[in-house]
Amino acid sequence: LPCGAGEGLTVPWPCREHLEEEQLLDGCYRLQEVPGGRMALPVLAEKLSQLRLPQEMPCELVWIQDPVPSRAARRQTPAQKLRDELQRLMGESWSEELERDVPRAWQRHGDLVLLREDSFRAAPWEKLGPVLWETVASALGAQRLARRGRVLPDGMRSPSVTLLLGQDGWVEHLDNGIRYTFDVTKCMFSPGNITEKLRVASLPCAGEVLVDLYAGIGYFTLPYLVHAAAAFAHACEWNGHAVEALRRNLALNGVQDRCRIHHGDSRQLELRDIADRVNLGLIPSSEEGWPVACRVLKKGTGGVLHIHHNVETLPTPAPPQTSVLWAERGSPEGAGSDGEVQHPTEDGGKETLGARIRPEWQRWAEATAARIRGLLAELHGQPWRTSILHVEAVKSYAPHVHHLVLDLECRPTLP
């Protein structure tokens, strides 16, 4: 076709509209000039058999060794680039089954990409061997790849992660100015908890002693020490791999002198009468830790418990909602982009400042406050009062299951 070359060229060719409607054009490449003063229109190779060009239109099939990428192709998301690279790799073996198997979301930790559990499970991928993982890593700009499985039912929430490319699974993650290092094949890391970590970082904890009953790699211990200015922390953890990561993380952030690690079952913790604040960051329930939390609170002044729990909301229409006392600040939302998700398995449900909590949440908060009040009275032989300071909706795992945190103030009743 005798036209001038250039991107964005308007081609006076009636067939183009038809080709676009039939999705036969290859949007990865742009129109370009070929010898003889003609223009080449990029067509998808697998669609050649579907071409129905008018006989009066002088056209021929031309193979171009180095086609010029379109601007749209240069703006491809990582997920699109990954799909295109794999499609080229598989050639005629490409199928809808394989396309469904290509992940559209993943987690990135430095040079390591952690793929979803359902990625690349179809049998045809196996014949590619290491080439598959090298192609995936290249498309995603990674040096190492791993694929997660289901969390193991071992009481420690140990991950089931397979390293696909690379020599080890140790990574470093920067989160709100805090450095975390951990082995993705040995330890869990939940980006979905970022809103709660940010909230914890803003709490007024100067001069306080914290007991974190389920410290893990330091998800909450570190924000308390680094940003909330807690004077000292007792971090309890029974997973040896997490303890190793916690030690490294305390040193990475320069707070190792303000934290003592208790390696073992927190239910057997021997501390008493020491804490101004206790973090119970275990889901689906931290209830087994409530008696310990009551024991470690200072018996003369009490303190605040941060109690995590998964609460189920009834799917039926709720009655008029009632409110409880909320803290004065809300929590910012998490964010994700280009396939790299902050909430890979949650739908991100969130209650914001001024919102009314659901009746089931309020009933759980009130029942928990009553239970803690009874535990404290039984432990100390005198009445205690408990006050609901705040109920935080961290995230949701399903339409009717929410991860909540109750901030509960506990004080001895004066004679």
Side-chain angles (χ1 to χ4, degrees):
L1 203 64
C3 299
E7 190 157 6
L9 177 67
T10 300
V11 182
W13 190 12
C15 290
R16 177 165 186 162
E17 182 177 349
H18 168 73
L19 293 175
E20 288 175 340
E21 288 178 355
E22 296 297 323
Q23 296 182 336
L24 303 180
L25 294 184
D26 189 344
C28 293
Y29 302 102
R30 68 180 174 95
L31 215 63
Q32 66 185 92
E33 190 173 11
V34 295
R38 298 171 300 164
M39 298 301 298
L41 192 67
V43 179
L44 292 168
E46 66 271 20
K47 302 291 186 178
L48 288 175
S49 62
Q50 300 177 30
L51 287 176
R52 298 291 184 271
L53 301 179
Q55 294 183 353
E56 64 272 14
M57 189 65 64
C59 300
E60 62 179 295
L61 189 63
V62 178
W63 293 95
I64 300 176
Q65 294 296 322
D66 299 303
V68 180
S70 67
R71 287 178 182 171
R74 293 197 291 272
R75 291 194 299 267
Q76 279 185 309
T77 66
Q80 291 170 330
K81 182 178 180 182
L82 174 61
R83 175 195 170 280
D84 291 346
E85 290 292 328
L86 292 171
Q87 186 175 8
R88 279 191 280 272
L89 179 65
M90 297 301 291
E92 294 181 357
S93 300
W94 187 253
S95 64
E96 291 184 3
E97 178 191 18
L98 294 181
E99 183 160 357
R100 287 193 300 268
D101 227 22
V102 177
R104 292 173 173 79
W106 51 85
Q107 289 183 26
R108 182 183 297 274
H109 300 289
D111 68 349
L112 185 146
V113 164
L114 182 59
L115 301 173
R116 295 166 61 107
E117 177 187 354
D118 56 357
S119 304
F120 304 109
R121 293 297 188 182
W125 298 116
E126 296 178 2
K127 67 179 182 181
L128 295 177
V131 174
L132 170 62
W133 310 126
E134 292 168 1
T135 302
V136 173
S138 175
L140 299 182
Q143 298 296 318
R144 296 176 291 164
L145 284 179
R147 179 173 55 199
R148 67 183 179 196
R150 295 186 181 278
V151 176
L152 299 177
D154 58 359
M156 300 185 186
R157 289 184 59 79
S158 300
S160 174
V161 174
T162 302
L163 195 64
L164 305 171
L165 182 67
Q167 298 303 313
D168 70 82
W170 279 93
V171 299
E172 185 169 316
H173 186 85
L174 184 65
D175 201 50
N176 190 28
I178 296 174
R179 294 169 66 188
Y180 295 88
T181 186
F182 58 100
D183 186 340
V184 296
T185 68
K186 306 293 185 184
C187 301
M188 292 287 294
F189 187 86
S190 179
N193 288 336
I194 179 63
T195 56
E196 180 62 8
K197 284 183 281 188
L198 290 171
R199 192 178 76 91
V200 160
S202 71
L203 293 175
C205 302
E208 293 186 349
V209 173
L210 165 77
V211 172
D212 191 348
L213 288 180
Y214 310 100
I217 67 171
Y219 305 107
F220 299 115
T221 307
L222 288 167
Y224 276 113
L225 291 170
V226 175
H227 294 309
F232 196 84
H234 293 272
C236 310
E237 178 56 44
W238 66 356
N239 184 328
H241 299 296
V243 167
E244 172 59 26
L246 176 58
R247 286 198 180 99
R248 296 190 187 195
N249 291 330
L250 291 168
L252 272 176
N253 293 278
V255 293
Q256 67 272 25
D257 294 336
R258 290 160 50 209
C259 183
R260 178 185 171 190
I261 298 175
H262 300 265
H263 184 187
D265 189 339
S266 62
R267 291 171 295 187
Q268 309 301 321
L269 188 65
E270 295 182 356
L271 294 177
R272 286 178 176 268
D273 186 24
I274 194 172
D276 300 290
R277 196 176 295 265
V278 183
N279 195 73
L280 297 106
L282 181 66
I283 53 174
S285 174
S286 61
E287 190 168 354
E288 288 191 354
W290 295 358
V292 181
C294 291
R295 286 201 305 271
V296 300
L297 274 180
K298 291 181 176 177
K299 64 181 181 181
T301 57
V304 177
L305 306 182
H306 300 280
I307 304 171
H308 292 236
H309 197 82
N310 280 358
V311 176
E312 186 173 0
T313 305
L314 296 176
T316 55
Q321 295 175 330
T322 54
S323 61
V324 297
L325 181 63
W326 290 83
E328 294 184 356
R329 67 172 293 279
S331 298
E333 295 285 352
S337 62
D338 295 334
E340 293 169 23
V341 295
Q342 294 294 327
H343 307 287
T345 59
E346 302 90 21
D347 69 12
K350 186 81 174 64
E351 296 293 318
T352 56
L353 180 67
R356 290 183 167 306
I357 70 167
R358 304 180 184 185
E360 293 87 352
W361 302 0
Q362 181 171 348
R363 286 195 291 270
W364 166 75
E366 291 174 348
T368 300
R371 174 77 184 284
I372 295 294
R373 189 163 58 246
L375 288 172
L376 286 165
E378 181 181 355
L379 176 66
H380 297 291
Q382 70 177 77
W384 279 58
R385 61 180 175 83
T386 53
S387 305
I388 296 172
L389 299 179
H390 183 81
V391 176
E392 179 80 3
V394 179
K395 58 180 176 285
S396 58
Y397 288 94
H400 309 300
V401 179
H402 291 80
H403 174 182
L404 304 182
V405 181
L406 167 62
D407 295 351
L408 188 68
E409 185 180 32
C410 307
R411 303 294 180 192
T413 300
L414 296 177

